[in-house]
Amino acid sequence: MSKEQGRTWDTSLFKRVFSFTKPYGGLLAIILTIITVLAILGPLRIALIDHMVHHFIEAKDLAGLRTFALIIVGILLGETFLNFATTYLSQKLGQSIVKDLRNQLFSHITKLRLKFFDKNPIGMLVTRAVSDMETVAQIFSQGFLSIIGDILVLVFALTMMFVINWQLAFIVLIPIPLLIIATNIFKKAIKKSFQDVRKEVSALNTFVQERITGMALVKVFGRSKREAKTFSEINNRHKKANIRSIWAYSIFFPVVEILSGLSLGLLILYTLSRVDDPGVNFGELAGQLTAFIMFINMIYRPIRMLADKFNTLQMGLVGAERVFKILDTDELIPNTGKVIKHDFKGGLSFKNVWFAYNNEDYVLKNLNFEVEAGETVAFVGATGAGKTSIINLLGRFYEFQKGSIEIDGEDIRDIELNLLRDNISVVLQDVFLYSGSIYDNVTLGNPEISKEQVVEAAKLVGAHEFIDRLPDGYDFNVKERGGLLSVGQRQLIAFIRAYVYQPKILILDEATSSIDSESEMLIQNAIDKLTKGRTSIVIAHRLSTIKNANKIIVLEKGEIIEMGSHAELLQQEDGAYRKLYETQFDGHEV
């Protein structure tokens, strides 16, 4: 049995969830007051009906009957309004809390280091931020507050029953032990099925998100039928989990109706047995019978719903626990830098840097190199040599284990994280664009960047012409991941994005490896414009793009094996760079 399934209640977890009601204390107080009033009005209305039958119908007092009927109608209208207010305000409270919690969760996710995303599927995070959040909202809209209301209704109804006639109250309550047993069995069954449903929802989200994102791979390798079959299996498990919950409901509710009918039958039998008793007031007995028939419905309905609502509460707590597990994840990049202002020039220094993604399986080993401000340094090497790891360390997306990395003599760990990243721009091989306009994808929502600046940058990098030809120009919606643009066009937009942020350090990671020759000429021109006068780090497989770099560093298995200019490295007869260059160009420059 899992930890979630084995625990029946977690007080500390509930307190943590409940702490999110603090900003809405006034709203919560109003809801609790309304719930209490409703719990009193229901039994009071039934007591008034008892009095009306006993005193006015038997005596044929039409005036009194009319007065009490109007009072009861008024109470019913009041209950209707208060029920509306409770439903609306409870939902409002739940959604307000979820809004705050979801904002906190998303903010926390954006601060997590990339290592966290390496280990956790995106679909799971989507489930936490969307589906699990809705179960948290139900803690207040359908769980906790509803349970309090039902319990108060039971307390006031039972009290009123014993006040009116304690003997009839005992008769009505005879089947209750059986109802409690049935409720407990139902609660356990529905809890297990709900947990299975949540697990399968997460599996569905993860599977669908990954396959849709990688749809090109599915089609290229002809995996459509196989993936459809796998999805069908997961979907079938999801269906079965839901059916198990439906099965529990389909058994439990009829059992409750049977027990409710048993209470009604016992009540009628007992009342009929007293009809011929001398001294029994028939009007009083008729009034009590009428009232207790209504009380049976009043006490069985909340008892029947309590098990369901308690499971809703528990599922909300399970969802909250999953959300809190992410919130409590401490895989954050420490932002303890004291340098909050700095006139960056862009000088870089790696001193004895060691880095491993997992424990001490180092992918970078004892790196030592310096880059003067305004220089361009290029990294070359086989896949897995550690090139991309270097840029991940520079932006503090991962933390290195040994050594130091400095910018203008300041250790990057001493620089405030946002300040550090504001001065570094990265153009990746696989450019990510959001569904939205080109302008929004360039500015990333920064209101300080004007459209004129974007147009100026586009002209500089040679992208204005193709953008201007698009429908709506800079307002053209590129759709999800920039699917309506070519690879080269997406790269050019990434260059515009890098330029408008005016970074002191520019990183180009395989920026020309996936494009055609025509696009490469445009992008090479953009690179020349962007790198001019600023520190640039270039990672490239195409050596023709880095011949003019001030320094070329050759990596092998995380270590620097050669360093120098293009001309210097070509002079080394058995050098790794020269061999790589000759392999690409067959001894002839192109």
Side-chain angles (χ1 to χ4, degrees):
M1 183 177 290
S2 70
K3 182 180 177 183
E4 286 177 359
Q5 292 171 359
R7 181 176 55 240
T8 56
W9 182 255
D10 189 332
T11 303
S12 62
L13 178 62
F14 178 75
K15 286 181 179 179
R16 185 173 180 182
V17 174
F18 198 75
S19 68
F20 282 85
T21 64
K22 287 181 181 179
Y24 310 100
L27 179 60
L28 179 62
I30 292 172
I31 295 171
L32 291 174
T33 300
I34 294 174
I35 286 173
T36 304
V37 172
L38 275 172
I40 295 172
L41 287 179
L44 177 62
R45 172 170 46 81
I46 294 176
L48 290 176
I49 291 174
D50 171 30
H51 184 82
M52 187 171 65
V53 171
H54 180 195
H55 293 283
F56 301 127
I57 293 180
E58 184 182 26
K60 297 181 181 179
D61 184 351
L62 295 180
L65 187 64
R66 189 181 299 111
T67 301
F68 264 67
L70 290 174
I71 293 173
I72 291 171
V73 170
I75 292 175
L76 280 170
L77 292 174
E79 286 184 88
T80 301
F81 173 77
L82 292 177
N83 275 315
F84 159 76
T86 302
T87 302
Y88 175 77
L89 295 177
S90 297
Q91 292 282 357
K92 182 180 180 180
L93 176 64
Q95 291 301 322
S96 298
I97 290 170
V98 164
K99 179 206 70 175
D100 295 343
L101 187 56
R102 186 178 279 132
N103 285 341
Q104 186 175 333
L105 176 66
F106 185 79
S107 177
H108 182 76
I109 289 174
T110 61
K111 295 174 184 175
L112 292 169
R113 66 183 74 187
L114 291 181
K115 185 177 180 180
F116 174 83
F117 300 96
D118 295 338
K119 298 183 296 184
N120 294 277
I122 295 173
M124 180 274 289
L125 295 174
V126 171
T127 300
R128 299 295 175 266
V130 181
S131 301
D132 285 336
M133 281 294 183
E134 291 307 315
T135 66
V136 175
Q138 290 175 1
I139 291 177
F140 299 94
S141 60
Q142 300 176 30
F144 171 68
L145 295 174
S146 293
I147 289 172
I148 289 179
D150 288 342
I151 290 174
L152 287 174
V153 166
L154 281 173
V155 169
F156 286 115
L158 290 172
T159 301
M160 193 66 72
M161 287 167 64
F162 278 97
V163 168
I164 293 174
N165 188 319
W166 64 269
Q167 293 169 311
L168 290 181
F170 274 120
I171 294 296
V172 166
L173 296 177
I174 286 175
I176 291 297
L178 295 175
L179 179 60
I180 293 173
I181 294 171
T183 299
N184 190 51
I185 295 172
F186 168 75
K187 179 171 69 69
K188 291 179 180 178
I190 203 68
K191 177 184 176 184
K192 174 64 169 61
S193 64
F194 277 178
Q195 288 169 335
D196 291 342
V197 168
R198 298 307 311 154
K199 183 179 73 173
E200 298 306 332
V201 165
S202 181
L204 276 174
N205 283 342
T206 299
F207 185 89
V208 170
Q209 189 276 331
E210 288 181 343
R211 269 52 182 190
I212 291 178
T213 301
M215 186 55 67
L217 187 66
V218 172
K219 292 184 177 297
V220 166
F221 286 91
R223 297 276 301 174
S224 297
K225 290 185 178 179
R226 179 60 201 166
E227 297 299 347
K229 182 180 178 182
T230 304
F231 176 81
S232 178
E233 292 169 357
I234 299 173
N235 198 27
N236 191 48
R237 293 200 303 267
H238 178 261
K239 181 199 75 172
K240 288 180 178 178
N242 275 289
I243 288 176
R244 284 195 294 272
S245 68
I246 295 169
W247 175 259
Y249 279 107
S250 63
I251 293 176
F252 178 68
F253 285 162
V255 168
V256 174
E257 293 302 321
I258 290 171
L259 295 176
S260 173
L262 180 59
S263 285
L264 181 60
L266 292 172
L267 173 67
I268 293 173
L269 286 174
Y270 180 78
T271 305
L272 289 175
S273 69
R274 296 196 57 206
V275 169
D276 296 328
D277 288 355
V280 170
N281 186 312
F282 184 78
E284 180 182 12
L285 190 61
Q288 291 176 355
L289 177 62
T290 303
F292 272 78
I293 289 173
M294 299 178 72
F295 275 128
I296 287 173
N297 180 63
M298 180 168 284
I299 63 173
Y300 270 91
R301 183 187 58 81
I303 291 176
R304 182 183 66 184
M305 299 305 297
L306 268 174
D308 191 26
K309 290 176 180 178
F310 187 76
N311 276 296
T312 298
L313 173 61
Q314 285 222 309
M315 289 306 100
L317 291 177
V318 169
E321 184 176 35
R322 291 170 175 166
V323 170
F324 290 146
K325 185 176 180 181
I326 296 177
L327 284 174
D328 294 338
T329 300
D330 61 357
E331 292 192 35
L332 302 172
I333 299 294
N335 189 12
T336 56
K338 304 247 191 280
V339 179
I340 57 175
K341 288 185 179 180
H342 186 75
D343 184 17
F344 283 94
K345 305 297 182 187
L348 290 178
S349 177
F350 276 60
K351 299 178 180 178
N352 308 114
V353 174
W354 292 71
F355 168 65
Y357 288 100
N358 298 302
N359 300 324
E360 293 189 358
D361 185 15
Y362 290 104
V363 295
L364 295 177
K365 306 166 187 175
N366 198 31
L367 290 192
N368 287 277
F369 65 87
E370 292 189 3
V371 183
E372 297 294 328
E375 283 189 340
T376 296
V377 60
F379 290 91
V380 297
T383 301
K387 304 184 297 296
T388 301
S389 297
I390 291 173
I391 64 175
N392 282 334
L393 297 186
L394 188 57
R396 292 194 70 197
F397 303 116
Y398 293 86
E399 292 284 68
F400 51 93
Q401 284 77 25
K402 301 178 187 178
S404 67
I405 301 175
E406 297 178 356
I407 299 179
D408 299 336
E410 296 281 358
D411 193 304
I412 61 171
R413 288 170 293 196
D414 295 332
I415 302 172
E416 198 275 330
L417 194 57
N418 293 318
L419 177 65
L420 172 69
R421 291 176 178 171
D422 283 345
N423 285 276
I424 299 174
S425 281
V426 183
V427 178
L428 299 172
Q429 174 185 358
D430 183 17
V431 176
F432 185 91
L433 297 181
Y434 295 101
S435 177
S437 69
I438 290 177
Y439 172 75
D440 288 337
N441 270 286
V442 170
T443 64
L444 298 177
N446 188 340
E448 296 179 4
I449 300 174
S450 67
K451 191 167 185 178
E452 289 73 20
Q453 289 174 284
V454 174
V455 174
E456 180 185 349
K459 290 178 179 178
L460 182 76
V461 302
H464 176 71
E465 186 176 342
F466 97 78
I467 295 175
D468 199 43
R469 289 198 304 264
L470 294 172
D472 302 320
Y474 288 85
D475 294 321
F476 176 72
N477 192 323
V478 301
K479 301 302 180 180
E480 187 175 1
R481 300 180 68 88
L484 296 184
L485 301 178
S486 70
V487 174
Q489 289 171 333
R490 293 199 295 268
Q491 284 285 10
L492 287 171
I493 290 175
F495 279 111
I496 302 171
R497 180 193 290 165
Y499 183 81
V500 296
Y501 275 87
Q502 290 295 306
K504 299 300 181 182
I505 298 173
L506 176 67
I507 298 172
L508 306 175
D509 185 5
E510 306 284 5
T512 62
S513 64
S514 302
I515 55 178
D516 55 59
S517 299
E518 183 179 349
S519 297
E520 183 180 354
M521 292 178 62
L522 282 172
I523 289 175
Q524 190 58 52
N525 178 64
I527 290 174
D528 293 340
K529 297 285 181 64
L530 282 173
T531 57
K532 187 177 181 179
R534 60 168 50 90
T535 304
S536 303
I537 296 175
V538 180
I539 295 174
H541 279 122
R542 296 185 183 183
L543 302 187
S544 61
T545 63
I546 60 170
K547 290 188 298 182
N548 297 324
N550 300 99
K551 187 179 296 181
I552 298 172
I553 297 175
V554 184
L555 294 172
E556 184 177 293
K557 297 180 180 179
E559 297 182 84
I560 296 175
I561 59 172
E562 291 179 6
M563 186 187 308
S565 67
H566 173 72
E568 291 170 346
L569 293 177
L570 284 183
Q571 290 175 3
Q572 300 181 22
E573 290 189 11
D574 295 323
Y577 181 80
R578 178 169 174 169
K579 289 179 181 178
L580 185 61
Y581 188 80
E582 289 175 347
T583 300
Q584 285 197 16
F585 301 115
D586 194 23
H588 302 283
E589 289 195 20
V590 293

